[in-house]
C-alpha cells in the first residue's frame, strides 16, 4: 500500500470551516427547532447583478453558435479581460501580460505554494486566512504543529496594540511572506507607510511578498492602498492575488487573477513570471470562458456601479454588526470591536474568554454562528470574526438576538 503523504499528515486538525460546519450540524441535530443564522463563513449571499448576468448569458449563447464557440482558451485568460484588469483596477501600474486570470485566489495561492516549493521560510500574519499556513504545511514548507503554531513558520502577531500591523523587522532572509489587506480575519487595512515598511523589508531580506487583496473592492477610504503596486519597489518583490468572488458574488462562479511583475526574479536571475507561466500552463487549463465574460462585464461603467452597490450592501451589514457589538453588554469585561469599515469582517475581542467558548455560547444562547478567532492563528485567541456576508433581514435578526444575551 502507498504511504500517506507525511506533509499532509502533519496538518494538525480539520480545516477551520469544515470544523465549524461540523459543530453547527451537530447542534442542529440536537436542537431541531433552533433557527440558526450564520455570521460565520465569508461566503457571499446576494444574487448576481443584472449587467453581470447579461455578460454571462451572452457568453453562454455565443458558445451555442458555430461562430461563437470556443474550446480551451489561453491559460492566462482572455486578452480583453487581462487588459481591462490592468487598466481599470490597476490604472496601468502593471501590464496586461503580467495578469494571469484564474479560477480564484485560493487556487492560485495553492499553485504559488507549489511554485516556491518546500525550501522557503514561510512568514504569515497572525491571525491569517488558513490557506497560507495549511497549504505551506501540505507542500512541506512547514512541519508539525507545536504549542505556538507549526514549526518552520514565522508568525507575526497582529494585535490591537500594534494596530493589526506586525513587526516586519522579524522577516528573515529569503522568506515567502503572506500578507493580506484588507485583512481576513481582522478587517484591518494596511496604510501606505505600513506597506512601504513591508516592501523595504522584503527588498532588504530578498524576500517575496504574496499580497492577497481579495477584499480590495471594500476599501472606501481613498488614502488606503488597494494594491501593493501602489508602493514604489513592489514590482521587484511582490506577487498579488485577487478575486472576483467577493466584489461581484463569484464565489460559486469562480474567477480570480494573479499579477507577477516581470522584474521579480529568483536568486539565479530566472524571472518568476517565466516559471509561473510554465507551471500554470502545465497544471491549469484556464478559467471558465463564461466566467471571464462575466468578469469583463463587471469592469465597464455599469458593472463597476453594480459592484459598488453590492459591496456597499455588505459594508452596511458590517456597520450594523459593529453597532450591535459596541452597544451590547455581552460580557462583564466588555468587548473590543475592530474592522468592518473598509472590509467585510468585524473582529471582536472578548477579554478573558476563549474563542471556541464564545462560539459555543453564541450558538447555544442565540443560535448565531460566528467564527472563532483562534482558528486563524494563536493571536486570534479571545477574538470572534463576524462576517457581513448575509441577507439584511438575517443580519438584523442575528444582531437583535446578539444584543439580548449576556456572556458571564
Ligand atoms: N483570500 C482571502 C483572504 C479570502 O478570505 C478568500 C476567501 O474567503 C480567498 C482568498 C479565496 O478567494 P477565491 O474565492 O477567489 O478562491
Amino acid at each position: 500500500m502507498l504511504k500517506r503523504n507525511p506533509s499532509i499528515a502533519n496538518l494538525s486538525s480539520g480545516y477551520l470551516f469544515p470544523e465549524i460546519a461540523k459543530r453547527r450540524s451537530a447542534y442542529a441535530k440536537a436542537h431541531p427547532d433552533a433557527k440558526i443564522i450564520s455570521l460565520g463563513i465569508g461566503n457571499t449571499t446576494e444574487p448576481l447583478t443584472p449587467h453581470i448576468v447579461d455578460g454571462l448569458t451572452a457568453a453562454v449563447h455565443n458558445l451555442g453558435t458555430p461562430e461563437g464557440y470556443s474550446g480551451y482558451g489561453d491559460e492566462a485568460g482572455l486578452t480583453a479581460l487581462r487588459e481591462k484588469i490592468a487598466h481599470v483596477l490597476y490604472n496601468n501600474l502593471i501590464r496586461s501580460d503580467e495578469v494571469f486570470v484564474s479560477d480564484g485566489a485560493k487556487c492560485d495561492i495553492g499553485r504559488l505554494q507549489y511554485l516556491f516549493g518546500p525550501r522557503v521560510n514561510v512568514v504569515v500574519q497572525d491571525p491569517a486566512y488558513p490557506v497560507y499556513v495549511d497549504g505551506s504545511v501540505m507542500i512541506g514548507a512547514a512541519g508539525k504543529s507545536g504549542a505556538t503554531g507549526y514549526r518552520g513558520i514565522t508568525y507575526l502577531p497582529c494585535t490591537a496594540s500594534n494596530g493589526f500591523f506586525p513587526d516586519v523587522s522579524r522577516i528573515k532572509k529569503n522568506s515567502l511572506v503572506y500578507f493580506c489587506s484588507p485583512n481576513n480575519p481582522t478587517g484591518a487595512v494596511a496604510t501606505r507607510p505600513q506597506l512601504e515598511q513591508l516592501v523595504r523589508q522584503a527588498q532588504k531580506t530578498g524576500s517575496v511578498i504574496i499580497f492577497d487583496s481579495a477584499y480590495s473592492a471594500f476599501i472606501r477610504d481613498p488614502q488606503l492602498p488597494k494594491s501593493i503596486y501602489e508602493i514604489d519597489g513592489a514590482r521587484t518583490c511582490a506577487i498579488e492575488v485577487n478575486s472576483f468572488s467577493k466584489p461581484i458574488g463569484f464565489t460559486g462562479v469562480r474567477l480570480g487573477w494573479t499579477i507577477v511583475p516581470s522584474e521579480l526574479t529568483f536568486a539565479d536571475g530566472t524571472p518568476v513570471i517565466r516559471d509561473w507561466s510554465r507551471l500554470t500552463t502545465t497544471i491549469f487549463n484556464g478559467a471558465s470562458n463564461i466566467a471571464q465574460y462575466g468578469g469583463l462585464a463587471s469592469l465597464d461603467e455599469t458593472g463597476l456601479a453594480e459592484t459598488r452597490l453590492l459591496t456597499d450592501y455588505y459594508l452596511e451589514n458590517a456597520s450594523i454588526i459593529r453597532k450591535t457589538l459596541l452597544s451590547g453588554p455581552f460580557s462583564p469585561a466588555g468587548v473590543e470591536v475592530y474592522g468592518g469599515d473598509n472590509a467585510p469582517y468585524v473582529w471582536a475581542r472578548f477579554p478573558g474568554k476563549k474563542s471556541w467558548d464564545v462560539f459555543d455560547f453564541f450558538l447555544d444562547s442565540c443560535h448565531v454562528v460566528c467564527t472563532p478567532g483562534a482558528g486563524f492563528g494563536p493571536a486570534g485567541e479571545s477574538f470572534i470574526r463576524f462576517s457581513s456576508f448575509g441577507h439584511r433581514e438575517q443580519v438584523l435578526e442575528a444582531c437583535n438576538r446578539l444584543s439580548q444575551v449576556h456572556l458571564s
Side-chain angles (χ1 to χ4, degrees):
M1 282 226 286
L2 286 185
K3 284 206 179 121
R4 188 173 178 209
N5 180 339
S7 299
I8 294 183
N10 275 342
L11 285 169
S12 60
S13 61
Y15 185 64
L16 173 64
F17 297 107
E19 177 60 27
I20 292 171
K22 207 170 85 190
R23 291 193 186 206
R24 175 191 168 140
S25 70
Y27 187 84
K29 225 172 170 177
H31 305 85
D33 293 334
K35 295 203 170 14
I36 297 174
I37 299 178
S38 177
L39 296 181
I41 300 181
N43 200 356
T44 48
T45 55
E46 300 314 293
L48 299 178
T49 56
H51 185 64
I52 293 163
V53 170
D54 285 349
L56 293 166
T57 34
V60 172
H61 286 303
N62 250 334
L63 287 173
T65 66
E67 34 321 315
Y69 177 77
S70 61
Y72 294 124
D74 180 346
E75 288 92 343
L78 293 171
T79 305
L81 179 58
R82 298 172 80 190
E83 284 173 351
K84 207 86 178 172
I85 289 173
H87 180 60
V88 176
L89 297 178
Y90 290 90
N91 201 14
N92 298 323
L93 282 172
I94 47 101
R95 294 197 317 263
S96 61
D97 60 0
E98 297 169 328
V99 180
F100 293 80
V101 177
S102 73
D103 52 349
K106 192 188 210 180
C107 322
D108 267 352
I109 293 163
R111 286 186 283 262
L112 285 165
Q113 286 164 334
Y114 194 67
L115 175 77
F116 288 97
R119 279 175 287 283
V120 285
N121 303 313
V122 175
V123 178
V124 293
Q125 288 160 291
D126 173 20
Y129 178 50
V131 180
Y132 314 143
V133 167
D134 288 5
S136 300
V137 175
M138 284 174 161
I139 202 80
K144 268 196 178 355
S145 163
T148 52
Y150 285 98
R151 277 207 299 275
I153 292 194
T154 302
Y155 293 83
L156 303 180
C158 295
T159 60
S161 59
N162 62 18
F164 300 100
F165 183 79
D167 174 6
V168 294
S169 71
R170 290 189 51 224
I171 297 172
K172 291 185 289 235
K173 264 193 150 331
N174 307 329
S175 298
L176 189 62
V177 184
Y178 293 90
F179 197 95
C180 179
S181 177
N183 191 269
N184 175 12
T186 67
V189 186
T191 63
R192 192 172 300 275
Q194 289 174 333
L195 288 186
E196 279 165 1
Q197 268 184 52
L198 176 68
V199 166
R200 296 293 91 81
Q201 183 67 12
Q203 288 175 317
K204 201 167 117 189
T205 56
S207 298
V208 171
I209 302 162
I210 295 185
F211 190 77
D212 185 341
S213 53
Y215 299 97
S216 58
F218 292 86
I219 295 179
R220 291 292 177 269
D221 180 345
Q223 301 299 318
L224 294 170
K226 290 188 165 183
S227 163
I228 192 75
Y229 303 116
E230 293 179 39
I231 308 302
D232 273 351
R235 289 182 56 87
T236 61
C237 64
I239 290 172
E240 182 162 311
V241 290
N242 205 323
S243 170
F244 286 93
S245 284
K246 312 299 162 100
I248 61 169
F250 269 24
T251 39
V253 177
R254 308 302 307 146
L255 193 66
W257 69 92
T258 288
I259 313 283
V260 186
S262 52
E263 287 95 322
L264 184 66
T265 58
F266 288 107
D268 68 357
T270 307
V272 174
I273 193 172
R274 191 192 298 166
D275 283 7
W276 179 243
S277 204
R278 179 75 173 89
L279 185 142
T280 48
T281 52
T282 304
I283 61 168
F284 178 59
N285 246 343
S288 146
N289 43 14
I290 299 167
Q292 292 189 71
Y293 281 103
L296 198 52
S298 78
L299 296 176
D300 66 20
E301 209 182 317
T302 314
L304 289 169
E306 289 183 353
T307 305
R308 177 80 183 197
L309 283 177
L310 195 58
T311 45
D312 276 348
Y313 179 90
Y314 292 124
L315 284 169
E316 179 60 27
N317 281 350
S319 157
I320 293 167
I321 297 167
R322 266 185 72 89
K323 282 190 195 128
T324 304
L325 292 171
L326 285 167
S327 61
F330 292 111
S331 87
V335 52
E336 297 165 20
V337 183
Y338 306 96
D341 38 11
N342 292 284
Y345 297 116
V346 177
W347 187 236
R349 179 163 177 263
F350 294 83
K353 302 280 173 206
K354 294 256 178 226
S355 299
W356 279 106
D357 292 345
V358 183
F359 169 90
D360 286 335
F361 169 76
F362 284 138
L363 180 57
D364 197 35
S365 63
C366 57
H367 310 146
V368 172
V369 174
C370 48
T371 312
F376 295 98
E381 190 55 278
S382 291
F383 282 90
I384 289 289
R385 188 195 74 174
F386 291 93
S387 165
S388 69
F389 294 107
H391 300 310
R392 179 66 43 80
E393 62 280 10
Q394 295 260 296
V395 170
L396 288 169
E397 171 59 19
C399 286
N400 180 38
R401 292 186 201 168
L402 285 170
S403 63
Q404 292 173 36
V405 295
H406 297 259
L407 179 56
S408 55

